Amino acid sequence: MSDVLAVAEHRRGELRDVSYELVTVGSEVADATGGDLHLAVISGDVDAHAEALNLEGVDAIHTVDHGEEFNHDVYAQVVEQVYDAVDPQVLLTPNSVNGLDYGPAVANALDLTYVSDAVGVEFDGSTLTATREMYSGKVETTTEVEAESVAVSIRSAEWPATETAGDASIEAFDATVDEDAVKSTVKGFEEVGGGDVDITEADVLVSVGRGIEEEENLDLVRDLADALDATLSSSRPIVDNGWLPKNRQVGQSGKVVTPDFYIAIGISGAVQHVAGMKGAENIVAINTDPNAPIYDIADYGIVDDLFEVVPALIEEFEG
Amino acid sequence: MKVLVTVKEVAAVEDEFEIDGTAIDEAYLEYDLNEWDDYAIEEGVQISESEDDVEVVSVTIGPERSEETIRMALAKGADRAVRVWDDSLEDAEMLDVEAKTNLLAAVVEEEEPDLVLSGVQADDDGFGATGVSLADEVGFEWAAVVNDLELDVEGGVASVRRELEGGVEELTDVDLPAVLTIQTGINEPRYASLRGIRQAQRKEIKPMTLDDLGLSADVAESDLEIVDMYEPETESDATLFEGSPDETAGQLAEVLRDGGVGQ
Ligand SMILES: Cc1cc2nc3c(=O)[nH]c(=O)nc-3n(C[C@H](O)[C@H](O)[C@H](O)COP(=O)(O)OP(=O)(O)OC[C@H]3O[C@@H](n4cnc5c(N)ncnc54)[C@H](O)[C@@H]3O)c2cc1C
């Protein structure tokens, strides 16, 4: 029998989707060996969050009412204490930006083997088998962990959310937070990426990635956007390079878009990019690499050089 | 003040490749500086340019081949480098987070930096965990996914922005010493100048073995094992247009027009 402890995630008053997905993975893993699924809900409105997470498959919810927002020093201390009390075989955390900010520290402190960004998890009580991507999604690996204790961070949006109500016990966990060990202060939040255009409103997006190579070449995709009466957006490296402003960035740390047509030009389709555009009605990919992950979600594709295809496409609409 | 920048040489896979067992056939791999680490080096060098008496040391775990990558960091302005390698690491199938943590922790103990900069993740195995794990091991404060950094050296505080999901940034102060994992876009990494490249030839790359670091060979032992590697089964039902660029563009144009685009 193997128990599982999963740590919920919330931000600015709201539970994040991955919390519901953690319940799905956690109950699968716990059920496989007849163990229990425990959830830790830390900081913020813990009672409301615990109520919302009282879902099928969850056996016990441990709440720790300490501060409003995520602070990694608090999370690290509290998760370690809940872990020691529950004594689970598997610790599950989200592979989110905040998950990356405490998961590895907790795993190291508790001497757990850490497997990050899992897209599949199976556990038979002694061996945990995780599916992970490597080389920017070009290959998948099956990774086995022969360990007493293992911590796995799970990729968001890979598992369905659990929504059915459950009957878990909800209890305040008596954690002791050593304030002297809290050496970071979260001072606030800021929304970035405002400005003149709102790419989330566009019906058609011409989106450009690193395949465009040089800033000068952006004119080519600008011309295409004009010809199609579309809005120009991009993957992250284009914004990192300062070639387009932040408000044009599609993806995890940019905007989530759902246009009728999303035309990805020279974009590989990294998971953090796909997070922002997989909801598009029609996805078109123009990419020289037939193995690029973007083709897994594309509806239409041209496996060819963008510098040949894009001018021809402009010609079609303007010629 | 001393800034330690962790640098990894990563392998990128060519468009067409073959898998040999549980690894990619060496012939299809190209080695380069990890994208995120390039930004970490730049951040370190910028600190040394704006503050007095800053030494920037880069540390790599890697075989002799990785010296090329290390030289790149030196050419961009790092003062010197440490390269950790050992025959017993050569034999390890993979270095997991724990192994990298322990190796780097030994270097931190040796170098005693005030600030450690690492990349958010490495492009090849993508664990995204070493920096924060290292912080715990050496008892430093930390922050993950940092896209803005202001140092108050006297006050011993780093004011950072952490890039969260959905265009939200978290403004956080962390006490020094700290490990920060650096996100792309935090700065504009420079190209190495010819002068920098020449100077790099004369800078020290200190090799360190497990013995030098006071570690035993079991540091590389891992509870993790890759038992299979494969190309992900494509769920793709994409319609791929074939032919010359004119032909494929024509077919795509038809689909777009049917969808009401550009009308
Ligand atoms: C915490 C975190 C958050 C992130 N957030 C985001 C985000 O919000 N948005 C985002 O986009 N990324 C994000 N990333 C980065 C992401 O992991 C990828 O690095 C990035 O999406 C890659 O961009 P790309 O596809 O343009 O570049 P690459 O991956 O380099 O792909 C370029 C593609 O162009 C193709 N190509 C090259 N030349 C040509 C040609 N002549 N013709 C046609 N095709 C060509 C290549 O085959 C390749 O597939 C994030 C990463 C992290 C760690």
Side-chain angles (χ1 to χ4, degrees):
Chain A
M1 227 175 54
S2 304
D3 294 343
V4 178
L5 172 64
V7 185
E9 175 156 316
H10 58 85
R11 189 201 299 163
R12 301 163 96 189
E14 299 210 19
L15 280 170
R16 309 200 68 239
D17 291 348
V18 70
S19 300
Y20 300 92
E21 297 154 17
L22 278 162
V23 171
T24 308
V25 193
S27 56
E28 275 172 24
V29 173
D31 284 354
T33 64
D36 286 343
L37 171 61
H38 297 254
L39 291 189
V41 177
I42 306 164
S43 307
D45 189 349
V46 291
D47 295 332
H49 294 331
E51 207 44 60
L53 289 172
N54 189 349
L55 299 167
E56 193 173 12
V58 183
D59 296 288
I61 303 178
H62 310 274
T63 62
V64 177
D65 187 4
H66 189 283
E68 273 312 299
E69 293 292 342
F70 172 80
N71 171 295
H72 65 236
D73 293 311
V74 172
Y75 263 59
Q77 290 187 45
V78 171
V79 172
E80 282 163 38
Q81 290 171 33
V82 178
Y83 186 95
D84 282 339
V86 170
D87 194 23
Q89 275 64 53
V90 180
L91 173 67
L92 295 178
T93 58
N95 198 68
S96 56
V97 173
N98 282 346
L100 292 176
D101 200 35
Y102 70 91
V106 168
N108 189 67
L110 293 171
D111 213 2
L112 310 179
T113 305
Y114 188 65
V115 187
S116 62
D117 205 15
V119 298
V121 178
E122 274 171 46
F123 190 51
D124 66 8
S126 61
T127 304
L128 184 132
T129 309
T131 308
R132 297 186 73 245
E133 290 180 350
M134 276 179 72
Y135 303 105
S136 320
K138 287 209 148 183
V139 297
E140 262 178 29
T141 60
T142 309
T143 304
E144 284 185 357
V145 193
E146 298 285 352
E148 295 279 282
S149 313
V150 41
V152 184
S153 72
I154 68 150
R155 180 176 289 185
S156 61
E158 287 292 324
W159 281 270
T162 298
E163 282 160 0
T164 325
D167 56 358
S169 65
I170 301 177
E171 263 172 58
F173 179 87
D174 190 13
T176 322
V177 176
D178 174 4
E179 296 293 345
D180 288 342
V182 178
K183 293 187 194 147
S184 62
T185 319
V186 178
K187 317 200 77 154
F189 297 92
E190 201 172 296
E191 314 263 351
V192 292
D196 54 333
V197 270
D198 184 356
I199 58 171
T200 66
E201 295 287 325
D203 294 328
V204 183
L205 283 172
V206 165
S207 207
V208 57
R210 184 146 45 196
I212 199 73
E213 288 171 9
E214 305 281 341
E215 186 169 15
E216 300 86 84
N217 299 339
L218 279 184
D219 283 341
L220 186 62
V221 285
R222 275 203 190 94
D223 289 348
L224 178 63
D226 286 345
L228 299 180
D229 200 13
T231 304
L232 189 62
S233 61
S234 80
S235 68
R236 174 173 196 121
I238 305 298
V239 174
D240 282 346
N241 289 346
W243 298 350
L244 284 176
K246 179 89 187 167
N247 60 16
R248 303 278 178 160
Q249 183 179 319
V250 173
Q252 174 184 306
S253 44
K255 299 272 164 73
V256 176
V257 298
T258 52
D260 295 337
F261 278 92
Y262 186 87
I263 306 172
I265 301 172
I267 292 178
S268 63
V271 54
Q272 295 94 349
H273 185 78
V274 169
M277 46 67 77
K278 59 173 185 267
E281 190 72 33
N282 293 287
I283 297 169
V284 180
I286 301 173
N287 192 315
T288 37
D289 178 4
N291 295 316
I294 190 77
Y295 285 115
D296 292 344
I297 55 160
D299 300 289
Y300 304 97
I302 298 176
V303 183
D304 206 346
D305 188 344
L306 74 91
F307 296 106
E308 307 246 355
V309 176
V310 174
L313 197 54
I314 294 170
E315 183 73 13
E316 281 287 333
F317 283 85
E318 285 194 337
Chain B
M1 167 170 183
K2 193 190 278 187
V3 181
L4 185 69
V5 185
T6 66
V7 171
K8 186 178 180 191
E9 182 192 65
V10 294
V13 187
E14 289 175 17
D15 285 0
E16 305 284 344
F17 61 93
E18 276 168 36
I19 294 170
D20 180 12
T22 57
I24 296 197
D25 189 326
E26 194 65 30
Y28 303 96
L29 296 178
E30 289 167 55
Y31 291 91
D32 205 348
L33 172 63
N34 181 38
E35 187 182 348
W36 280 264
D37 301 347
D38 198 14
Y39 290 86
I41 294 165
E42 178 64 30
E43 200 62 21
V45 173
Q46 287 190 9
I47 292 168
S48 75
E49 287 167 346
S50 64
E51 307 279 342
D52 292 335
D53 294 326
V54 176
E55 185 183 31
V56 180
V57 182
S58 86
V59 54
T60 301
I61 305 168
E64 202 163 349
R65 186 196 55 225
S66 60
E67 296 218 345
E68 213 179 307
T69 302
I70 300 170
R71 292 265 175 229
M72 209 136 56
L74 294 174
K76 290 176 182 221
D79 296 298
R80 59 185 175 84
V82 174
R83 181 172 69 85
V84 176
W85 200 241
D86 204 278
D87 290 344
S88 60
L89 300 180
E90 195 95 50
D91 301 334
E93 210 184 295
M94 71 180 286
L95 291 177
D96 67 7
V97 177
E98 195 183 345
K100 283 183 268 200
T101 298
N102 291 327
L103 290 166
L104 292 173
V107 176
V108 168
E109 264 145 42
E110 175 94 15
E111 292 284 345
E112 298 184 334
D114 305 279
L115 182 67
V116 179
L117 303 176
S118 74
V120 164
Q121 62 175 31
D123 228 351
D124 48 5
D125 54 20
F127 273 106
T130 303
V132 173
S133 178
L134 171 66
D136 179 78
E137 184 64 27
V138 296
F140 280 22
E141 188 46 44
W142 72 87
V145 193
V146 168
N147 71 355
D148 190 63
L149 164 61
E150 261 164 61
L151 273 184
D152 171 3
V153 179
E154 305 243 301
V157 177
S159 298
V160 304
R161 282 171 179 258
R162 295 184 53 237
E163 183 196 82
L164 306 179
E165 293 85 357
V168 177
E169 295 181 349
E170 181 199 276
L171 285 66
T172 300
D173 284 354
V174 301
D175 289 358
L176 298 178
V179 180
L180 307 178
T181 78
I182 300 297
Q183 174 65 314
T184 59
I186 186 173
N187 52 40
E188 223 176 292
R190 70 194 68 193
Y191 290 98
S193 65
L194 275 176
R195 189 162 153 266
I197 293 169
R198 268 202 309 272
Q199 283 174 341
Q201 296 307 322
R202 291 194 299 272
K203 291 179 181 172
E204 182 196 16
I205 301 179
K206 182 176 170 191
M208 293 198 92
T209 61
L210 294 185
D211 230 18
D212 297 333
L213 292 168
L215 296 167
S216 64
D218 57 17
V219 69
E221 270 171 27
S222 177
D223 288 323
L224 280 185
E225 194 190 356
I226 297 178
V227 294
D228 196 13
M229 181 182 280
Y230 50 92
E231 288 187 51
E233 237 173 84
T234 166
E235 296 133 39
S236 172
D237 44 10
T239 306
L240 297 181
F241 301 120
E242 281 170 27
S244 69
D246 283 340
E247 289 164 347
T248 55
Q251 295 169 66
L252 175 56
E254 212 175 295
V255 169
L256 293 174
R257 280 195 202 97
D258 284 349
V261 179
Q263 302 294 305

